[in-house]
Amino acid sequence: MKLSKFSLLLALGLLLSIFMVACSSGEEGSTETKDGDSGETTEEPAEEPAEEPAEQVLNLLNGDTIPTMDASLATDEYAFQFLGTTMEGLYRLGEDAKLTPGIATEHKVSEDALTWTFTLREDAVWENGDPVTAHDFVYAWQRAVNPKTGSEYGPYMMGGVIKNATAISAGEKPVKELGVKAEGDYTLVVTLEKPTPYFESLTAFGTFLPLNQKFVEAQGDKYATSSETLLANGPFLLDGWKSTSTSWDLVKNEKYWDAETVQLTKMTYDVVKDPQVAVDLYEKGEVQRAGISAELVDKYSSHDDFTITPETSLFYLKFNQTTSDALANVNIRKALSKSINKQALVDEVINNGSIVSNGYVPADFSAHPETGEDFREINGDLVTYDPEKAKELWKKGLEEIGKTEVSLEFLGGDGETTKIMNEYLANQMESNLEGLEITLKQVPFEQRLELDTNMDYDIQFSGWGPDYLDPYTWLNLWLTDGGNNKMGYSNPEYDKLVQSTVNELALDPVKRFEAFLKAEKILAEDAAVAPLYQSARAQLISPSIKGVINNPMGATYEYKWASVGAAE
């Protein structure tokens, strides 16, 4: 697995984010009046003119340009958002993250859970009129793991899941041996490497979208660089877009198989990076949603349209155990983890509705398969703020490494608001741990990515957003030599537990969930990373927006069922 650019973009951009996420859903009620017939002739009162139906157009903002619209190359929030809006895979996420039919109408799973057979609808077409077939999925998935494509998420998402994906991405087997084939035009058969409990949710993720081979190959290197070199099969079409565009539109795709459900006719987007500018546009009525940065929350929290949207992304400090004998010491790592007042961090520094995280799997993300109890409620608070205990552990750790002072470098982002948070975190650790000196290294995203890949840091602020609906998306991050570990952490017992969830326990939901619970406790005992907070978004959202769904993975919002109505 490679380091997810999506996760680092989240970490870099959270406090400056103006991502426009989902709003409250619901339909406007209609009121009808009917006059009774009394048999008498009376003068009818003048009828008031009927209210004009709301124009089904949303005017929105985006925090930056769209880096790519190639599903094989997408790694970030913006790409997955617009792919999710213009494209459709086997399934879509609906309300409460429930999978709803997309191109697939149903599927069957073999008794050993290795063979998945999907029946595809025969009324789905590409915007050029070509039918969407099983061959489009075969081509797209093969392309994603083909080393020549250079996909990051293809090998990461399919490796160890789809049969032979790992070997193919390593150049050890031909692409045609990937475990996916078309049996006719409307039956897709997928063979897995091993039983994968979360595979069904993967089918709604951007990397698994279909591609029209004839069109893609005809475009060559120009494919997915502009609206003219894209081919959609989803609810909307991308209009007026190039890879450098700072404005574009989404328009309803009249050829979408379920076009009757889609009520929005158009969504306009402009790139605005300054939160104050975004809010000003909202106040003028020029856009219907605007993100609120930390420094603006107090000013706008009493606004009638102020909304907090919880997220499932976690942020934490990574401790590189290979660069410092101090960080290789578990008591020092525990001391650092307990030295930060996380409640003050979310209340006073971040100030956008984010909540304290005291574990490694977010709240309201995964439930026990029998009891339905939330993962976070079961394991509770594993890593809490405790300055007195931190001092005790720090003293013990220093004695164990034979030092009285320690100097560490803190790697963080270089955004102005992010710098405030970096300074707060460093100050908390230094103030509570005598003899600790922290040097801040605040750099642009690309440099941070390189430094992380090369494990050239001591402490690093980082974060992760889920790629699928399963605790494994979190707990596989810290496997020994894992592609996202990049900090030298290793615990054989932890590895065994986590790997058992995709091997011998894959078909036993209860024991599998319990293995995840035990594994998380090991992470806490080892102080592998220091959990900080679970993110949220503060926004101004027009009450006229209806039916937008906030997704916990993939595209941040789903607009298929959205509409514009009168404000309640």
Side-chain angles (χ1 to χ4, degrees):
M1 293 180 295
K2 284 190 175 183
L3 181 70
S4 167
K5 290 183 180 178
F6 172 46
S7 67
L8 281 183
L9 282 171
L10 278 169
L12 283 165
L14 180 74
L15 299 180
L16 296 175
S17 171
I18 54 171
F19 296 154
M20 306 306 120
V21 260
C23 63
S24 57
S25 61
E27 297 296 331
E28 282 290 304
S30 60
T31 303
E32 297 182 359
T33 59
K34 183 181 294 185
D35 290 332
D37 186 359
S38 65
E40 297 179 1
T41 302
T42 59
E43 184 176 347
E44 294 289 330
E47 291 186 5
E48 294 189 15
E51 184 178 336
E52 289 289 329
E55 185 182 23
Q56 294 300 307
V57 176
L58 287 181
N59 299 305
L60 304 172
L61 302 174
N62 209 56
D64 212 327
T65 57
I66 307 172
T68 184
M69 281 296 290
D70 187 332
S72 300
L73 302 180
T75 61
D76 70 285
E77 165 66 15
Y78 299 136
F80 287 130
Q81 175 58 58
F82 292 99
L83 283 167
T85 310
T86 60
M87 297 285 284
E88 183 149 274
L90 294 170
Y91 292 102
R92 300 186 78 83
L93 286 184
E95 286 279 9
D96 301 320
K98 302 296 184 184
L99 290 173
T100 64
I103 303 302
T105 58
E106 63 177 1
H107 68 270
K108 297 179 180 179
V109 184
S110 63
E111 189 174 341
D112 62 5
L114 293 177
T115 304
W116 292 59
T117 303
F118 296 87
T119 300
L120 309 188
R121 63 179 67 256
E122 299 185 22
D123 57 345
V125 297
W126 294 96
E127 63 176 288
N128 66 356
D130 288 352
V132 180
T133 70
H135 306 285
D136 298 327
F137 286 93
V138 173
Y139 169 68
W141 295 13
Q142 288 180 345
R143 182 175 182 265
V145 297
N146 189 333
K148 294 180 180 178
T149 303
S151 172
E152 180 175 338
Y153 257 52
Y156 170 60
M157 298 295 282
M158 297 185 188
V161 177
I162 310 296
K163 186 176 181 180
N164 295 328
T166 301
I168 293 168
S169 62
E172 298 169 359
K173 286 190 176 183
V175 172
K176 65 181 181 180
E177 291 193 25
L178 185 68
V180 56
K181 64 179 179 179
E183 291 187 353
D185 288 341
Y186 300 105
T187 301
L188 181 73
V189 180
V190 181
T191 304
L192 303 186
E193 194 77 54
K194 54 192 174 185
T196 305
Y198 55 86
F199 176 65
E200 189 174 0
S201 71
L202 289 181
T203 63
F205 193 77
T207 309
F208 294 82
L209 293 167
L211 292 172
N212 184 308
Q213 182 175 3
K214 182 178 178 181
F215 181 86
V216 173
E217 293 181 348
Q219 302 306 313
D221 292 340
K222 293 182 178 180
Y223 173 67
T225 59
S226 68
S227 298
E228 290 71 28
T229 59
L230 285 172
L231 198 64
N233 74 329
F236 298 91
L237 307 175
L238 191 58
D239 185 44
W241 174 79
K242 294 182 180 179
S243 57
T244 56
S245 294
T246 56
S247 64
W248 58 85
D249 296 334
L250 288 171
V251 296
K252 181 176 177 178
N253 179 8
E254 298 294 348
K255 293 185 178 179
Y256 176 54
W257 69 270
D258 198 20
E260 290 185 2
T261 297
V262 181
Q263 298 182 60
L264 293 176
T265 59
K266 185 177 183 180
M267 288 182 275
T268 69
Y269 284 87
D270 287 292
V271 171
V272 172
K273 300 182 180 182
D274 187 328
Q276 184 62 65
V277 172
V279 170
D280 291 344
L281 289 170
Y282 183 89
E283 295 278 53
K284 294 175 183 177
E286 295 183 22
V287 299
Q288 288 140 299
R289 197 163 52 206
I292 306 294
S293 58
E295 64 271 19
L296 296 177
V297 167
D298 290 341
K299 181 178 180 181
Y300 290 97
S301 60
S302 60
H303 194 292
D304 288 344
D305 299 345
F306 181 79
T307 304
I308 294 292
T309 304
E311 296 181 315
T312 53
S313 298
L314 292 183
F315 293 82
Y316 42 80
L317 296 182
K318 293 174 67 173
F319 300 133
N320 189 348
Q321 298 182 30
T322 69
T323 59
S324 165
D325 59 345
L327 293 177
N329 182 277
V330 65
N331 286 312
I332 286 180
R333 295 197 302 272
K334 286 182 177 179
L336 292 166
S337 298
K338 290 180 172 295
S339 68
I340 299 168
N341 187 334
K342 292 181 279 190
Q343 194 63 54
L345 172 66
V346 298
D347 290 345
E348 301 171 17
V349 181
I350 301 174
N351 192 28
N352 67 354
S354 295
I355 61 174
V356 167
S357 173
N358 289 321
Y360 304 87
V361 174
D364 300 320
F365 178 77
S366 180
H368 192 285
E370 278 190 346
T371 68
E373 190 176 3
D374 186 66
F375 188 105
R376 190 73 277 122
E377 291 179 358
I378 297 173
N379 260 7
D381 295 331
L382 300 180
V383 185
T384 59
Y385 170 56
D386 188 341
E388 295 308 313
K389 184 65 174 178
K391 290 179 173 64
E392 178 186 325
L393 290 164
W394 178 253
K395 182 179 179 181
K396 184 177 181 181
L398 290 180
E399 290 173 353
E400 289 170 347
I401 64 173
K403 292 183 177 180
T404 58
E405 296 180 348
V406 170
S407 296
L408 297 171
E409 183 181 83
F410 183 108
L411 176 62
D414 64 347
E416 289 307 311
T417 309
T418 308
K419 287 180 179 179
I420 296 173
M421 182 177 63
N422 295 340
E423 291 167 1
Y424 171 83
L425 295 171
N427 178 263
Q428 283 283 290
M429 290 184 280
E430 285 183 331
S431 298
N432 285 314
L433 305 175
E434 185 178 357
L436 173 62
E437 180 183 9
I438 292 182
T439 303
L440 289 175
K441 184 172 185 177
Q442 302 174 122
V443 300
F445 166 67
E446 291 297 336
Q447 188 175 348
R448 280 188 63 195
L449 179 62
E450 182 180 356
L451 291 169
D452 183 86
T453 299
N454 295 330
M455 294 175 63
D456 186 8
Y457 69 90
D458 293 332
I459 301 174
Q460 181 186 174
F461 173 75
S462 191
W464 189 260
D467 292 320
Y468 41 88
L469 302 177
D470 190 84
Y472 190 72
T473 193
W474 300 101
L475 298 177
N476 76 9
L477 296 175
W478 317 120
L479 292 172
T480 300
D481 297 326
N484 294 290
N485 188 319
K486 299 298 182 185
M487 58 184 196
Y489 171 70
S490 177
N491 184 311
E493 183 184 0
Y494 176 81
D495 291 347
K496 183 178 179 180
L497 276 170
V498 175
Q499 289 168 345
S500 73
T501 68
V502 291
N503 291 308
E504 64 266 27
L505 300 181
L507 300 181
D508 190 331
V510 173
K511 289 184 178 180
R512 182 173 184 267
F513 195 87
E514 290 170 352
F516 282 135
L517 293 169
K518 292 177 183 177
E520 190 195 37
K521 290 178 180 178
I522 292 175
L523 279 182
E525 186 60 31
D526 288 349
V529 297
L532 295 173
Y533 63 91
Q534 182 173 336
S535 62
R537 284 180 292 250
Q539 303 159 295
L540 295 178
I541 303 175
S542 170
S544 66
I545 304 178
K546 314 292 179 181
V548 180
I549 297 172
N550 185 35
N551 290 327
M553 54 159 274
T556 303
Y557 358 87
E558 174 59 67
Y559 292 105
K560 175 176 174 175
W561 296 278
S563 64
V564 179
E568 296 178 354

